[in-house]
Amino acid sequence: DKTISHYLDWSEVNLNYVRLVIVAKNSPEFRISDATRLKAQRKEKELNDQILKQSNPLRINYTISMSEKEDAPIKAIGNDGNLNPTLVYNSHVLRAQNAEGLVLYCARVFEFTNQLGLISLVSKKSNNGLTDVLLGLPAQNTYKVNTSFRFNEAMSSLQIRAMQSVLNRDGRSIESMIKTFYEDYLSKQFNYHCMPIDFANPYDKWRSKCIILLPLLDNIARQYTAFVQHGTIDPDFVAIMSPMKITDIPSCITKKYFVTNGQPQELNYLFHLFFSDQCMLNYVDPFKDKHYRNFYELIRHEEDINYNNYEQYQKLDLEYLIQKGYLSVSGTMKIQVDKIKEILILKHLYEYHACPFQYCDDEEQTIILDMVQKGWLKEDNHLLTPEERDYFSYYLNNEKFTNGPALRNNYMHGAVIGNDEKQHQSAYYRILNLLILLTIKIYEDLRLSRDFIK
């Protein structure tokens, strides 16, 4: 600890190493004191400020706006007066939604979840850009925060704030809509007779709102767990339940997800061949100037790919895919794509490390079960996928990751100090965003159980 403290005082200290000190996780063999960690945080701010003063960084501002034109598209991409990208939503469509519509609006129009009901805001290695690879040093026990994740984080916060502003015009709020959706809609549609949920007074300070909202997440976690386990929600039983984490909530569906089982060598090799930008199968004439990011993008967009245009070292990988039945070569030496459904399943597994079983047709389910037999996948019956559980864990506590805001730990344990209303407001909308995501996942779980489970 003393050595690290002395290093932080050095005039040539490296910013990347300072950041590693901030997020390093203590262990019996290696411990950093709170004083040294605070010193590193202050040093990081100092170095960041120096960089901003010495350079002229290019800033791109992303904004959300609501169009008042009734015939405007539900969602469109425009730009502001400075040509910064702007997402434009039709305010009339938003205002016309009831409680059900608003929650599903977040899922489908704001795209908080994808077509398979998976949370699209999670950090995905598949979205790493060159900047993410070159800048910064990865540390153990840290959540992988890349440029794409930061963009989604900022935009989802702006979307929620814009929705709140529009609803307030009609005397409504996101909180009131969630309450109606959770208490009334889920009860009528799925016989999910829950306990009432209550939010803070709209006029409370933001810090107080955070302190009230966070236990609501835990309360809903206990309620849904009780429902899954017993088919009903008994308030007396919920009251005596042991504290539980959102990441432990079970699904009411067996075979909810199939997730990657460790690091299967053959599966990872297929991931590399189809989806990695380090594989060179996408680099072939006459498509080199189109700069496809990976082989999957090439075969998705191009039909006339000639086997003979590949170099010999590339053909070794092609032959592997041909041998495994993913590709074939026609009489005119054109590459043909076979096993299309299996490749799409591989894509979902590469991006999200999970595949929702009930969304798949019979052929796709057979493919997934075959992957289980190969040892590639295993069953997971949580409400959230492993990647989604990591996402919630990153924001709510520092048990698994050391670089998250630890909102639950800080607010519930009194670690948040000061009266920076903007900071507390930002935290509140992030927690509200997590509540919306949890509500969407519960809705999807109940819907699948009703519509697809026989």
Side-chain angles (χ1 to χ4, degrees), residues 48 52-53 55-62 82-85:
N48 277 331
L52 291 175
K53 288 179 182 179
S55 62
N56 184 24
L58 174 65
R59 297 181 181 273
I60 301 177
N61 297 316
Y62 294 90
N82 297 318
L83 301 181
N84 291 313

Side-chain angles (χ1 to χ4, degrees), residues 60-219:
I60 301 177
N61 297 316
Y62 294 90
T63 58
I64 299 289
S65 67
M66 292 288 173
S67 174
E68 298 301 323
K69 297 179 181 179
E70 291 191 17
D71 60 347
I74 295 176
K75 174 185 175 181
I77 300 177
N79 57 72
D80 61 15
N82 297 318
L83 301 181
N84 291 313
T86 301
L87 283 176
V88 184
Y89 297 92
N90 186 322
S91 65
H92 297 278
V93 172
L94 180 57
R95 295 174 70 182
Q97 304 300 317
N98 58 14
E100 174 198 2
L102 285 171
V103 172
L104 298 183
Y105 186 99
C106 292
R108 295 163 186 170
V109 181
F110 284 166
E111 298 183 75
F112 285 3
T113 57
N114 67 8
Q115 69 274 18
L116 296 181
L118 302 176
I119 296 176
S120 58
L121 306 179
V122 301
S123 175
K124 297 190 284 290
K125 182 181 178 181
S126 58
N127 285 343
N128 278 351
L130 181 61
T131 303
D132 302 305
V133 175
L134 296 178
L135 297 182
L137 293 175
Q140 290 184 342
N141 307 306
T142 57
Y143 191 69
K144 306 308 181 210
V145 175
N146 55 25
T147 304
S148 176
F149 176 81
R150 286 300 188 201
F151 170 77
N152 289 334
E153 182 181 50
M155 294 304 292
S156 60
S157 180
L158 289 173
Q159 287 167 325
I160 291 299
R161 293 182 189 221
M163 173 181 276
Q164 188 78 295
S165 177
V166 171
L167 292 177
N168 286 346
R169 297 184 207 169
D170 301 326
R172 298 191 294 170
S173 68
I174 295 176
E175 294 87 343
S176 65
M177 295 298 100
I178 294 175
K179 181 177 176 67
T180 299
F181 181 84
Y182 184 77
E183 294 179 1
D184 299 337
Y185 179 78
L186 296 183
S187 174
K188 293 175 182 176
Q189 293 294 319
F190 309 109
N191 292 318
Y192 178 73
H193 304 300
C194 65
M195 298 161 55
I197 58 174
D198 294 305
F199 293 86
N201 188 306
Y203 303 104
D204 285 348
K205 288 186 175 294
W206 291 107
R207 184 176 183 275
S208 297
K209 288 183 176 182
C210 291
I211 293 173
I212 292 173
L213 184 57
L214 281 162
L216 186 57
L217 290 169
D218 297 338
N219 183 17

Side-chain angles (χ1 to χ4, degrees), residues 116 341-342 344-345 355-369 452:
L116 296 181
K341 286 192 174 183
E342 186 165 334
L344 289 175
I345 290 173
C355 222
F357 196 65
Q358 302 305 326
Y359 275 94
C360 300
D361 61 29
D362 291 343
E363 181 182 354
E364 291 165 337
Q365 290 186 354
T366 299
I367 293 171
I368 290 173
L369 293 176
F452 294 99

Side-chain angles (χ1 to χ4, degrees), residues 329-394:
V329 179
S330 71
T332 57
M333 302 308 293
K334 301 296 183 184
I335 291 178
Q336 297 176 330
V337 181
D338 304 321
K339 291 190 177 182
I340 295 175
K341 286 192 174 183
E342 186 165 334
I343 293 172
L344 289 175
I345 290 173
L346 289 172
K347 183 174 185 293
H348 291 306
L349 292 170
Y350 176 72
E351 291 184 349
Y352 293 94
H353 297 171
C355 222
F357 196 65
Q358 302 305 326
Y359 275 94
C360 300
D361 61 29
D362 291 343
E363 181 182 354
E364 291 165 337
Q365 290 186 354
T366 299
I367 293 171
I368 290 173
L369 293 176
D370 181 59
M371 292 182 177
V372 173
Q373 291 296 316
K374 293 177 180 178
W376 296 359
L377 307 180
K378 62 181 179 181
E379 189 175 327
D380 188 305
N381 294 322
H382 287 82
L383 177 70
L384 305 174
T385 71
E387 297 294 312
E388 293 168 347
R389 300 200 290 272
D390 284 351
Y391 179 84
F392 274 81
S393 182
Y394 164 75

Side-chain angles (χ1 to χ4, degrees), residues 170-325:
D170 301 326
R172 298 191 294 170
S173 68
I174 295 176
E175 294 87 343
S176 65
M177 295 298 100
I178 294 175
K179 181 177 176 67
T180 299
F181 181 84
Y182 184 77
E183 294 179 1
D184 299 337
Y185 179 78
L186 296 183
S187 174
K188 293 175 182 176
Q189 293 294 319
F190 309 109
N191 292 318
Y192 178 73
H193 304 300
C194 65
M195 298 161 55
I197 58 174
D198 294 305
F199 293 86
N201 188 306
Y203 303 104
D204 285 348
K205 288 186 175 294
W206 291 107
R207 184 176 183 275
S208 297
K209 288 183 176 182
C210 291
I211 293 173
I212 292 173
L213 184 57
L214 281 162
L216 186 57
L217 290 169
D218 297 338
N219 183 17
I220 290 175
R222 288 195 300 273
Q223 288 190 42
Y224 195 70
T225 298
F227 178 80
V228 172
Q229 293 176 347
H230 304 285
T232 186
I233 300 175
D234 184 336
D236 293 332
F237 177 78
V238 173
I240 66 171
M241 287 177 69
S242 301
M244 67 171 300
K245 302 170 187 174
I246 290 173
T247 51
D248 291 335
I249 304 174
S251 168
C252 61
I253 301 170
T254 57
K255 292 187 174 67
K256 177 63 184 288
Y257 305 109
F258 281 92
V259 302
T260 52
N261 184 16
Q263 298 288 330
Q265 183 176 357
E266 187 174 1
L267 180 61
N268 282 333
Y269 187 40
L270 290 171
F271 286 163
H272 170 76
L273 295 180
F274 280 115
F275 312 113
S276 173
D277 58 3
Q278 302 302 305
C279 176
M280 298 299 292
L281 290 180
N282 57 312
Y283 191 71
V284 62
D285 287 328
F287 311 111
K288 292 179 179 179
D289 292 339
K290 293 190 176 183
H291 302 293
Y292 289 116
R293 290 203 316 163
N294 51 50
F295 185 52
Y296 173 80
E297 287 193 2
L298 174 68
I299 60 177
R300 180 186 173 199
H301 292 98
E302 305 294 345
E303 294 182 356
D304 296 326
I305 307 171
N306 194 300
Y307 177 86
N308 290 329
N309 287 348
Y310 279 99
E311 302 294 336
Q312 189 59 42
Y313 74 91
Q314 294 173 304
K315 289 180 179 179
L316 295 176
D317 288 334
L318 285 177
E319 287 299 330
Y320 177 84
L321 293 176
I322 291 170
Q323 177 188 350
K324 295 297 181 179

